[in-house]
Each structure stands twice: as C-alpha cells, then as structure tokens.
C-alpha cells in the first residue's frame, strides 16, 4: 500500500499544530496530534486521560506505553490509509524507533520529516499568548527543557535517515505554509 506520511517536529510554540492543520486540509489527509488526543481523553475522563493528566499538567512527557497503542490504532483507521500528518509524535528516540517498526508492520511509510525551527524568545512569547491550561510560564520552561533533552535528538535520528527538512518557522503564517507546501508537494505529485 502506498501512502504519504509526514511528521512535524519542532519545539512547543513553533507553530507545528497550526501549520499541520492547514497542510492536512490542503492535502486532504488527517492531522494526528497526540497532544490533542490526550487533551480530549483528559476532558472526557477516560482511563488514558486519568493516567496522562498529571504529566500533561506538569509539561512532562506522558509514558511511552500510553501512546503506543493510541498511535497504532489511529494509523490503522480508514482515513489514514492514504497519508497522515503526525504532530507531537515521536517525542523521543524510543517513540521514533517504535514508529519505524510499526510502519513496517502495517506497510506504511513516512515520506518526510519537517522540522520547524524557531528561536527560544519567540517560542515563550507565542506560548504565553496562547492561553492553554499548560501554557503558564513554569510549565512552558519545563516543556522547553523536555523538548531539548528528549525530543531534539529525534531530529538527528531522521537526519541520519536523510528524510529531514528544516524550515524556518519565524516568518508569517502564510510564508511558513508556503515553504512547507513546497517541500511536501512532490511527495503527493509523484506516483509511487
Ligand atoms: P502538545 O499539544 O503536542 O504540545 O502536547 C501537550 C502535552 O501532551 C505534552 O506536554 C505532553 O505532556 C503530552 N504529549 C503529547 N504528545 C506526546 C508524546 N508523543 N509523548 C509523550 N507525551 C506527549
């Protein structure tokens, strides 16, 4: 089966979620945000939500084992068979390795990994203006630290696989979307 899988990487506040939603609509593929799925689970009080809440509130990563089945089930759904955008997963090297194995197992591929790069000052300002429950200053600092310690190594992982594209996330929303679309378009145009 051929599909077009995209992964969005970048620090919290880089605009990943916003851009992933726009690109998903443009290319007609589902936007899969693990943060969004966890917030929904917390809001509806599911077992997953109850287990995840304290980590999300503190800005820590939720334990991998809570995410793995979630991702597997989501990628197996009908709407994900032609492609998808993963936003917020993988968040550490173990998740990246899990994803590789899972994709092989379910005969899907990840075509490219888009890394949105933005400076720290920019990030804190953006996050503080967003007003989400986990967007207070203390949690923001924790999330940035967690990002640099645990998530940033994932960039090198995909760089070694030669499917990483780094895009400057600081221009306007429209300019960033255009830059992303230019990288992504060939993966949708070329027959596989
Ligand atoms: P996000 O919406 O991507 O910023 O995620 C919000 C929060 O959800 C993070 O701070 C983590 O607590 C949790 N989270 C989201 N995705 C993951 C993941 N792949 N692994 C572990 N925790 C995650």
């Amino acid at each position: 089966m051929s599909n077009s899988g995209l992964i969005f990487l970048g620090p919290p506040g880089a605009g990943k979620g916003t851009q992933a939603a726009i690109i998903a609509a443009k290319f007609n593929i589902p936007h899969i945000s693990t943060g969004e799925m966890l917030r929904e689970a917390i809001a509806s009080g599911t077992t997953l939500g109850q287990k995840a809440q304290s980590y999300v509130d503190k800005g820590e990563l939720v334990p991998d084992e809570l995410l793995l089945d979630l991702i597997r089930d989501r990628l197996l759904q009908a709407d994900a068979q032609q492609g998808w955008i993963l936003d917020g997963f993988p968040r550490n090297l173990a998740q990246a390795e899990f994803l590789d194995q899972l994709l092989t197992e379910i005969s899907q591929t990840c075509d490219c990994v888009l890394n949105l790069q933005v400076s720290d000052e920019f990030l804190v300002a953006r996050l503080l203006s967003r007003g989400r429950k986990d967007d207070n200053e203390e949690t923001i600092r924790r999330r940035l630290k967690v990002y640099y310690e645990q998530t940033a190594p994932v960039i090198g992982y995909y760089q070694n696989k030669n499917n990483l594209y780094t895009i400057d996330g600081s221009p306007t929303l429209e300019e960033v979307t255009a830059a992303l679309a230019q990288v992504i378009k060939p993966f949708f145009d070329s027959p596989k």
Side-chain angles (χ1 to χ4, degrees):
M1 190 187 298
S2 74
N3 73 306
S4 295
L6 312 173
I7 294 173
F8 274 38
L9 292 179
K16 263 189 335 275
T18 308
Q19 292 294 343
I22 296 170
I23 294 289
K26 206 176 167 77
F27 292 93
N28 200 25
I29 50 176
H31 169 203
I32 302 175
S33 157
T34 45
E36 208 45 62
M37 291 163 93
L38 290 170
R39 280 187 290 279
E40 277 168 21
I42 291 169
S44 47
T46 63
T47 311
L48 169 67
Q50 287 169 12
K51 288 183 182 163
Q53 177 150 31
S54 64
Y55 298 96
V56 174
D57 284 350
K58 283 189 293 221
E60 302 285 346
L61 293 188
V62 168
D64 292 342
E65 60 268 25
L66 296 183
L67 272 301
L68 307 185
D69 283 345
L70 196 72
I71 285 291
R72 182 194 303 271
D73 292 349
R74 186 63 190 87
L75 292 184
L76 284 171
Q77 282 172 28
D79 69 339
Q81 301 318 301
Q82 302 310 314
W84 32 260
I85 295 181
L86 277 182
D87 160 19
F89 190 97
R91 211 63 162 235
N92 59 30
L93 286 174
Q95 292 182 8
E97 283 162 10
F98 166 84
L99 181 63
D100 269 350
Q101 283 168 18
L102 173 64
L103 293 179
T104 305
E105 184 191 316
I106 63 178
S107 304
Q108 294 191 10
T109 53
C110 163
D111 296 296
C112 76
V113 180
L114 297 137
N115 178 33
L116 273 182
Q117 210 166 41
V118 174
S119 74
D120 272 8
E121 308 90 90
F122 216 84
L123 297 174
V124 177
R126 266 204 200 159
L127 289 168
L128 282 173
S129 70
R130 204 164 65 169
R132 216 169 69 190
K133 190 180 172 220
D134 58 345
D135 282 342
N136 60 71
E137 200 153 349
E138 190 190 337
T139 314
I140 289 172
R141 277 188 216 297
R142 186 66 205 143
R143 274 159 55 214
L144 281 176
K145 191 163 186 283
V146 166
Y147 169 78
Y148 286 113
E149 286 175 3
Q150 302 187 52
T151 310
V154 174
I155 297 172
Y157 179 86
Y158 289 115
Q159 212 154 26
N160 291 338
K161 288 171 159 285
N162 286 323
N163 60 356
L164 185 88
Y165 298 81
T166 293
I167 280 137
D168 181 6
S170 48
T172 65
L173 187 126
E174 291 78 13
E175 284 170 308
V176 178
T177 304
L180 288 167
Q182 201 173 7
V183 172
I184 293 165
K185 209 169 166 290
F187 296 105
F188 287 84
D189 289 344
S190 57
K192 278 185 270 187

